[in-house]
Amino acid sequence: VSEVMTKEVFFVTPAHTDVECMVIMDKKGIRHLPVMEDDQVVGVLSSRDLLKEFIAEQQSVIDKLTNYTGPKE
């Protein structure tokens, strides 16, 4: 297992944003990121989780812009 796993465990806290987590995962070349709170693992983020959230946020922005009719005169 030591040949395929990273030796240093990188983690985040619930205070980290999605973007911060994506940057950490990209820079460190990892696909899973434990979420720690009070010295306990409270969750694990995957790159797929973050990608789905990013796509959903972008779709929301697209929908709002598409439905925007402009100021009423």
Side-chain angles (χ1 to χ4, degrees):
V1 173
S2 64
E3 292 177 16
V4 295
M5 298 292 288
T6 55
K7 294 185 190 308
E8 185 177 354
V9 177
F10 302 100
F11 65 91
V12 293
T13 68
H16 283 85
T17 66
D18 292 351
V19 172
E20 290 171 324
C21 293
M22 288 192 301
V23 169
I24 291 168
M25 293 171 92
D26 181 55
K27 284 185 177 182
K28 303 299 182 186
I30 55 178
R31 292 184 293 182
H32 296 89
L33 196 56
V35 180
M36 302 286 292
E37 187 171 42
D38 298 325
D39 294 326
Q40 291 191 340
V41 176
V42 294
V44 177
L45 288 172
S46 71
S47 54
R48 182 177 291 184
D49 294 334
L50 293 171
L51 181 59
K52 283 182 181 180
E53 183 64 25
F54 179 76
I55 291 170
E57 288 175 11
Q58 295 301 308
Q59 188 59 53
S60 176
V61 169
I62 290 168
D63 292 344
K64 286 178 185 173
L65 291 172
T66 301
N67 294 325
Y68 180 69
T69 58
K72 306 240 191 260
E73 292 184 31

